């Protein structure tokens, strides 16, 4: 349980770091900025993919924590 909680905190820090870089709170908000033309895909592609990866990882960690509680 301790490992999962520690990993969750690390993932949340990465999500915050990446999202904050682009003035958003989630990959969905980043996608909206992209659709509105506020940012260009080539400028944010790596961050977008990384943010999406960490958000999925966060969901899986939360699910795992729920199962052991």
């Amino acid at each position: 349980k301790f490992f999962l909680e520690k990993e969750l905190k690390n993932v949340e820090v990465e999500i915050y770091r990446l999202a904050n870089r682009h003035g958003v709170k989630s990959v969905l908000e980043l996608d909206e900025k992209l659709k509105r033309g506020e940012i260009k895909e080539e400028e944010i592609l790596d961050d977008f993919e990384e943010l999406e990866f960490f958000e999925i990882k966060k969901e899986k960690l939360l699910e795992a924590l729920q199962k052991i509680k």
Side-chain angles (χ1 to χ4, degrees):
K1 181 179 174 181
F2 175 75
F3 171 78
L4 292 176
E5 289 172 342
K6 186 173 193 264
E7 188 66 16
L8 180 60
K9 286 192 187 297
N10 291 337
V11 165
E12 287 174 337
V13 166
E14 287 302 313
I15 290 171
Y16 177 80
R17 180 184 65 80
L18 289 163
N20 193 45
R21 182 182 300 166
H22 299 286
V24 297
K25 292 184 179 157
S26 70
V27 73
L28 294 175
E29 286 184 21
L30 190 56
D31 190 46
E32 285 300 315
K33 284 182 93 168
L34 185 61
K35 287 177 183 174
R36 289 191 304 261
E38 295 176 26
I39 50 178
K40 295 182 182 174
E41 185 174 358
E42 56 271 5
E43 295 172 352
I44 57 106
L45 187 58
D46 290 340
D47 286 349
F48 186 92
E49 290 172 349
E50 199 172 353
L51 185 56
E52 186 174 43
F53 167 80
F54 282 119
E55 287 187 358
I56 291 168
K57 189 171 182 177
K58 179 181 176 180
E59 286 177 26
K60 290 180 179 178
L61 287 167
L62 288 170
E63 287 173 11
L65 281 167
Q66 285 291 75
K67 288 179 183 178
I68 62 172
K69 284 188 178 181

